[in-house]
Amino acid sequence: MLLRREEWLTVRRRKARRKAIGTRAPILIEARANARWSLDFVHDQFACGRRFRVLNVVDDVARECLAAIPDTYISGRRVVRELTALIERRGRPGMIVSDNGTELTSNAFLKWCAEHKIEWHYIAPGKPMQNGFVESFNGRLRDEFLNETLFRNLTHARELITAWVTDYNTERPHSALGYQTPAGFALYLNTAIARPATRVESSARRVIDQPTPKGVNDQTAKVTAGLMVRSKSGRLSGRQ
């Protein structure tokens, strides 16, 4: 700055270019399994120092880890194969959310999305909070497991990660799900949608509606018994 002043040089400062960001609105999720999946990678290394990555796929409503695939190299074609196999087992999701990684923006990947009619939502660059469900899972996976485990090789990593995911899905209650396990809550949602609401022939009217996770729209998957209904404020009221 001083040299420029001594030489009578002036440099025009460039102003930051304003970008159109559009309307910011949260994406509503129906209270049903497979309504929306989140996808992201987490990195770690073996005892020898060689790095590997884990592809995580999470059901945003049930908080269930649908897949945790470790490998030393995961390309876009590999992601396509894993998602195809997962859809064959679980069914097609309503939407998949991910970042803008090169594996997920290739022409082959976009072609696969179009062929399978998968609605894919890319979060804004540098905004991991827009993919908060899988980011929360990644943080828990790292803090509780990856940072505490020394992996000998890829086979060892696959065995331990599979065991941890099984325990996470089936044995560990989640506070956002009313302290149910993710697998148990997913089973409840599937059962609630498959079974229409029926009237209970009893003098006492009871509600079988389970707590809905935060950020989830329960308008299309509400299950009630008797004549009790839940208002938008969360209160229960009777209807004659």
mmCIF file of all heavy atoms in Angstrom, residues 50-77:
data_model
loop_
_atom_site.group_PDB
_atom_site.id
_atom_site.type_symbol
_atom_site.label_atom_id
_atom_site.label_comp_id
_atom_site.label_asym_id
_atom_site.label_seq_id
_atom_site.Cartn_x
_atom_site.Cartn_y
_atom_site.Cartn_z
ATOM 1 N N ARG A 50 -2.545 -46.073 4.600
ATOM 2 C CA ARG A 50 -3.306 -45.951 3.362
ATOM 3 C C ARG A 50 -4.715 -45.473 3.668
ATOM 4 O O ARG A 50 -5.376 -45.976 4.573
ATOM 5 C CB ARG A 50 -3.353 -47.286 2.635
ATOM 6 C CG ARG A 50 -4.004 -47.214 1.249
ATOM 7 C CD ARG A 50 -4.045 -48.570 0.579
ATOM 8 N NE ARG A 50 -4.616 -48.471 -0.756
ATOM 9 C CZ ARG A 50 -4.857 -49.527 -1.534
ATOM 10 N NH1 ARG A 50 -4.572 -50.756 -1.104
ATOM 11 N NH2 ARG A 50 -5.374 -49.352 -2.741
ATOM 12 N N ARG A 51 -5.188 -44.528 2.901
ATOM 13 C CA ARG A 51 -6.496 -43.927 3.151
ATOM 14 C C ARG A 51 -7.605 -44.707 2.437
ATOM 15 O O ARG A 51 -7.376 -45.323 1.399
ATOM 16 C CB ARG A 51 -6.512 -42.462 2.696
ATOM 17 C CG ARG A 51 -5.507 -41.585 3.420
ATOM 18 C CD ARG A 51 -5.704 -40.138 3.069
ATOM 19 N NE ARG A 51 -7.016 -39.644 3.464
ATOM 20 C CZ ARG A 51 -7.336 -39.225 4.690
ATOM 21 N NH1 ARG A 51 -6.423 -39.264 5.659
ATOM 22 N NH2 ARG A 51 -8.551 -38.778 4.960
ATOM 23 N N PHE A 52 -8.804 -44.644 3.023
ATOM 24 C CA PHE A 52 -9.991 -45.205 2.397
ATOM 25 C C PHE A 52 -11.158 -44.296 2.738
ATOM 26 O O PHE A 52 -11.070 -43.399 3.581
ATOM 27 C CB PHE A 52 -10.245 -46.646 2.865
ATOM 28 C CG PHE A 52 -10.689 -46.762 4.300
ATOM 29 C CD1 PHE A 52 -12.037 -46.849 4.634
ATOM 30 C CD2 PHE A 52 -9.760 -46.800 5.340
ATOM 31 C CE1 PHE A 52 -12.447 -46.967 5.948
ATOM 32 C CE2 PHE A 52 -10.159 -46.914 6.663
ATOM 33 C CZ PHE A 52 -11.503 -46.998 6.964
ATOM 34 N N ARG A 53 -12.263 -44.515 2.061
ATOM 35 C CA ARG A 53 -13.456 -43.705 2.273
ATOM 36 C C ARG A 53 -14.657 -44.618 2.424
ATOM 37 O O ARG A 53 -14.655 -45.777 1.973
ATOM 38 C CB ARG A 53 -13.652 -42.723 1.120
ATOM 39 C CG ARG A 53 -13.843 -43.379 -0.214
ATOM 40 C CD ARG A 53 -13.615 -42.446 -1.399
ATOM 41 N NE ARG A 53 -14.185 -41.112 -1.227
ATOM 42 C CZ ARG A 53 -14.509 -40.324 -2.233
ATOM 43 N NH1 ARG A 53 -14.344 -40.742 -3.483
ATOM 44 N NH2 ARG A 53 -15.006 -39.131 -2.017
ATOM 45 N N VAL A 54 -15.702 -44.080 3.049
ATOM 46 C CA VAL A 54 -16.933 -44.834 3.307
ATOM 47 C C VAL A 54 -18.091 -44.062 2.691
ATOM 48 O O VAL A 54 -18.282 -42.870 2.975
ATOM 49 C CB VAL A 54 -17.171 -45.039 4.814
ATOM 50 C CG1 VAL A 54 -18.412 -45.907 5.035
ATOM 51 C CG2 VAL A 54 -15.952 -45.652 5.478
ATOM 52 N N LEU A 55 -18.851 -44.729 1.842
ATOM 53 C CA LEU A 55 -20.064 -44.161 1.261
ATOM 54 C C LEU A 55 -21.234 -44.454 2.194
ATOM 55 O O LEU A 55 -21.578 -45.616 2.413
ATOM 56 C CB LEU A 55 -20.322 -44.754 -0.122
ATOM 57 C CG LEU A 55 -21.678 -44.426 -0.766
ATOM 58 C CD1 LEU A 55 -21.807 -42.926 -1.031
ATOM 59 C CD2 LEU A 55 -21.861 -45.223 -2.060
ATOM 60 N N ASN A 56 -21.828 -43.412 2.757
ATOM 61 C CA ASN A 56 -22.950 -43.560 3.675
ATOM 62 C C ASN A 56 -24.236 -43.093 3.014
ATOM 63 O O ASN A 56 -24.277 -42.030 2.398
ATOM 64 C CB ASN A 56 -22.715 -42.740 4.949
ATOM 65 C CG ASN A 56 -21.599 -43.308 5.804
ATOM 66 O OD1 ASN A 56 -21.397 -44.514 5.854
ATOM 67 N ND2 ASN A 56 -20.871 -42.440 6.480
ATOM 68 N N VAL A 57 -25.285 -43.893 3.158
ATOM 69 C CA VAL A 57 -26.620 -43.554 2.673
ATOM 70 C C VAL A 57 -27.565 -43.661 3.863
ATOM 71 O O VAL A 57 -27.639 -44.705 4.514
ATOM 72 C CB VAL A 57 -27.080 -44.484 1.535
ATOM 73 C CG1 VAL A 57 -28.437 -44.041 1.012
ATOM 74 C CG2 VAL A 57 -26.055 -44.510 0.415
ATOM 75 N N VAL A 58 -28.291 -42.567 4.147
ATOM 76 C CA VAL A 58 -29.140 -42.496 5.335
ATOM 77 C C VAL A 58 -30.561 -42.149 4.921
ATOM 78 O O VAL A 58 -30.778 -41.298 4.052
ATOM 79 C CB VAL A 58 -28.598 -41.432 6.319
ATOM 80 C CG1 VAL A 58 -29.544 -41.250 7.501
ATOM 81 C CG2 VAL A 58 -27.210 -41.824 6.812
ATOM 82 N N ASP A 59 -31.524 -42.816 5.539
ATOM 83 C CA ASP A 59 -32.933 -42.462 5.379
ATOM 84 C C ASP A 59 -33.216 -41.295 6.323
ATOM 85 O O ASP A 59 -33.116 -41.430 7.544
ATOM 86 C CB ASP A 59 -33.825 -43.662 5.714
ATOM 87 C CG ASP A 59 -35.288 -43.418 5.374
ATOM 88 O OD1 ASP A 59 -35.835 -42.388 5.815
ATOM 89 O OD2 ASP A 59 -35.901 -44.251 4.685
ATOM 90 N N ASP A 60 -33.591 -40.141 5.776
ATOM 91 C CA ASP A 60 -33.736 -38.940 6.586
ATOM 92 C C ASP A 60 -34.881 -39.019 7.580
ATOM 93 O O ASP A 60 -34.832 -38.381 8.637
ATOM 94 C CB ASP A 60 -33.936 -37.721 5.679
ATOM 95 C CG ASP A 60 -32.690 -37.383 4.889
ATOM 96 O OD1 ASP A 60 -31.638 -38.013 5.147
ATOM 97 O OD2 ASP A 60 -32.753 -36.505 4.008
ATOM 98 N N VAL A 61 -35.940 -39.750 7.266
ATOM 99 C CA VAL A 61 -37.095 -39.829 8.152
ATOM 100 C C VAL A 61 -36.848 -40.821 9.279
ATOM 101 O O VAL A 61 -37.032 -40.506 10.456
ATOM 102 C CB VAL A 61 -38.356 -40.209 7.364
ATOM 103 C CG1 VAL A 61 -39.546 -40.387 8.304
ATOM 104 C CG2 VAL A 61 -38.671 -39.139 6.331
ATOM 105 N N ALA A 62 -36.425 -42.027 8.945
ATOM 106 C CA ALA A 62 -36.210 -43.066 9.946
ATOM 107 C C ALA A 62 -34.840 -42.986 10.605
ATOM 108 O O ALA A 62 -34.581 -43.719 11.562
ATOM 109 C CB ALA A 62 -36.388 -44.452 9.315
ATOM 110 N N ARG A 63 -33.956 -42.115 10.108
ATOM 111 C CA ARG A 63 -32.587 -41.980 10.618
ATOM 112 C C ARG A 63 -31.810 -43.292 10.494
ATOM 113 O O ARG A 63 -30.858 -43.545 11.226
ATOM 114 C CB ARG A 63 -32.576 -41.531 12.086
ATOM 115 C CG ARG A 63 -33.356 -40.271 12.387
ATOM 116 C CD ARG A 63 -32.773 -39.059 11.696
ATOM 117 N NE ARG A 63 -33.172 -37.818 12.337
ATOM 118 C CZ ARG A 63 -34.279 -37.134 12.070
ATOM 119 N NH1 ARG A 63 -35.103 -37.598 11.136
ATOM 120 N NH2 ARG A 63 -34.559 -36.018 12.706
ATOM 121 N N GLU A 64 -32.240 -44.136 9.580
ATOM 122 C CA GLU A 64 -31.626 -45.456 9.424
ATOM 123 C C GLU A 64 -30.492 -45.389 8.408
ATOM 124 O O GLU A 64 -30.619 -44.765 7.354
ATOM 125 C CB GLU A 64 -32.672 -46.460 8.963
ATOM 126 C CG GLU A 64 -32.171 -47.886 8.869
ATOM 127 C CD GLU A 64 -33.264 -48.837 8.429
ATOM 128 O OE1 GLU A 64 -34.356 -48.377 8.088
ATOM 129 O OE2 GLU A 64 -33.012 -50.063 8.425
ATOM 130 N N CYS A 65 -29.378 -46.019 8.738
ATOM 131 C CA CYS A 65 -28.269 -46.118 7.794
ATOM 132 C C CYS A 65 -28.565 -47.251 6.825
ATOM 133 O O CYS A 65 -28.553 -48.427 7.199
ATOM 134 C CB CYS A 65 -26.951 -46.371 8.538
ATOM 135 S SG CYS A 65 -25.533 -46.557 7.441
ATOM 136 N N LEU A 66 -28.830 -46.912 5.582
ATOM 137 C CA LEU A 66 -29.188 -47.910 4.583
ATOM 138 C C LEU A 66 -27.962 -48.601 4.005
ATOM 139 O O LEU A 66 -28.054 -49.740 3.546
ATOM 140 C CB LEU A 66 -29.991 -47.247 3.460
ATOM 141 C CG LEU A 66 -31.224 -46.464 3.895
ATOM 142 C CD1 LEU A 66 -31.919 -45.862 2.683
ATOM 143 C CD2 LEU A 66 -32.175 -47.349 4.681
ATOM 144 N N ALA A 67 -26.836 -47.911 3.990
ATOM 145 C CA ALA A 67 -25.608 -48.492 3.445
ATOM 146 C C ALA A 67 -24.415 -47.730 3.995
ATOM 147 O O ALA A 67 -24.464 -46.509 4.136
ATOM 148 C CB ALA A 67 -25.608 -48.454 1.915
ATOM 149 N N ALA A 68 -23.362 -48.460 4.301
ATOM 150 C CA ALA A 68 -22.074 -47.889 4.695
ATOM 151 C C ALA A 68 -21.012 -48.735 4.003
ATOM 152 O O ALA A 68 -20.684 -49.829 4.462
ATOM 153 C CB ALA A 68 -21.898 -47.889 6.212
ATOM 154 N N ILE A 69 -20.510 -48.248 2.884
ATOM 155 C CA ILE A 69 -19.664 -49.036 1.995
ATOM 156 C C ILE A 69 -18.249 -48.489 2.026
ATOM 157 O O ILE A 69 -17.977 -47.419 1.470
ATOM 158 C CB ILE A 69 -20.217 -49.002 0.554
ATOM 159 C CG1 ILE A 69 -21.670 -49.466 0.557
ATOM 160 C CG2 ILE A 69 -19.364 -49.839 -0.377
ATOM 161 C CD1 ILE A 69 -22.438 -49.095 -0.668
ATOM 162 N N PRO A 70 -17.308 -49.191 2.668
ATOM 163 C CA PRO A 70 -15.919 -48.730 2.673
ATOM 164 C C PRO A 70 -15.141 -49.294 1.490
ATOM 165 O O PRO A 70 -15.332 -50.444 1.084
ATOM 166 C CB PRO A 70 -15.388 -49.277 4.002
ATOM 167 C CG PRO A 70 -16.187 -50.521 4.234
ATOM 168 C CD PRO A 70 -17.527 -50.312 3.586
ATOM 169 N N ASP A 71 -14.248 -48.492 0.933
ATOM 170 C CA ASP A 71 -13.365 -48.943 -0.143
ATOM 171 C C ASP A 71 -12.274 -47.900 -0.332
ATOM 172 O O ASP A 71 -12.422 -46.739 0.064
ATOM 173 C CB ASP A 71 -14.134 -49.149 -1.445
ATOM 174 C CG ASP A 71 -13.501 -50.247 -2.303
ATOM 175 O OD1 ASP A 71 -12.270 -50.441 -2.205
ATOM 176 O OD2 ASP A 71 -14.241 -50.906 -3.053
ATOM 177 N N THR A 72 -11.192 -48.325 -0.963
ATOM 178 C CA THR A 72 -10.091 -47.401 -1.206
ATOM 179 C C THR A 72 -10.385 -46.438 -2.347
ATOM 180 O O THR A 72 -9.786 -45.365 -2.422
ATOM 181 C CB THR A 72 -8.816 -48.189 -1.521
ATOM 182 O OG1 THR A 72 -9.072 -49.090 -2.618
ATOM 183 C CG2 THR A 72 -8.376 -49.003 -0.310
ATOM 184 N N TYR A 73 -11.299 -46.812 -3.232
ATOM 185 C CA TYR A 73 -11.661 -45.948 -4.350
ATOM 186 C C TYR A 73 -13.118 -46.194 -4.691
ATOM 187 O O TYR A 73 -13.530 -47.340 -4.925
ATOM 188 C CB TYR A 73 -10.777 -46.225 -5.569
ATOM 189 C CG TYR A 73 -11.174 -45.442 -6.793
ATOM 190 C CD1 TYR A 73 -10.924 -44.081 -6.882
ATOM 191 C CD2 TYR A 73 -11.818 -46.071 -7.863
ATOM 192 C CE1 TYR A 73 -11.288 -43.354 -8.003
ATOM 193 C CE2 TYR A 73 -12.185 -45.351 -8.988
ATOM 194 C CZ TYR A 73 -11.916 -43.997 -9.053
ATOM 195 O OH TYR A 73 -12.293 -43.274 -10.171
ATOM 196 N N ILE A 74 -13.911 -45.134 -4.703
ATOM 197 C CA ILE A 74 -15.329 -45.231 -5.029
ATOM 198 C C ILE A 74 -15.615 -44.211 -6.112
ATOM 199 O O ILE A 74 -15.611 -43.000 -5.866
ATOM 200 C CB ILE A 74 -16.219 -44.979 -3.799
ATOM 201 C CG1 ILE A 74 -15.908 -45.989 -2.697
ATOM 202 C CG2 ILE A 74 -17.695 -45.060 -4.172
ATOM 203 C CD1 ILE A 74 -16.719 -45.788 -1.427
ATOM 204 N N SER A 75 -15.870 -44.695 -7.303
ATOM 205 C CA SER A 75 -16.139 -43.818 -8.438
ATOM 206 C C SER A 75 -17.634 -43.571 -8.574
ATOM 207 O O SER A 75 -18.460 -44.143 -7.846
ATOM 208 C CB SER A 75 -15.595 -44.446 -9.723
ATOM 209 O OG SER A 75 -16.269 -45.677 -9.991
ATOM 210 N N GLY A 76 -17.998 -42.742 -9.542
ATOM 211 C CA GLY A 76 -19.408 -42.505 -9.807
ATOM 212 C C GLY A 76 -20.125 -43.751 -10.270
ATOM 213 O O GLY A 76 -21.289 -43.983 -9.907
ATOM 214 N N ARG A 77 -19.462 -44.563 -11.071
ATOM 215 C CA ARG A 77 -20.078 -45.820 -11.522
ATOM 216 C C ARG A 77 -20.307 -46.765 -10.353
ATOM 217 O O ARG A 77 -21.297 -47.497 -10.317
ATOM 218 C CB ARG A 77 -19.197 -46.477 -12.583
ATOM 219 C CG ARG A 77 -19.076 -45.656 -13.870
ATOM 220 C CD ARG A 77 -18.239 -46.389 -14.905
ATOM 221 N NE ARG A 77 -18.080 -45.602 -16.112
ATOM 222 C CZ ARG A 77 -18.941 -45.581 -17.119
ATOM 223 N NH1 ARG A 77 -20.037 -46.335 -17.034
ATOM 224 N NH2 ARG A 77 -18.724 -44.835 -18.178
#
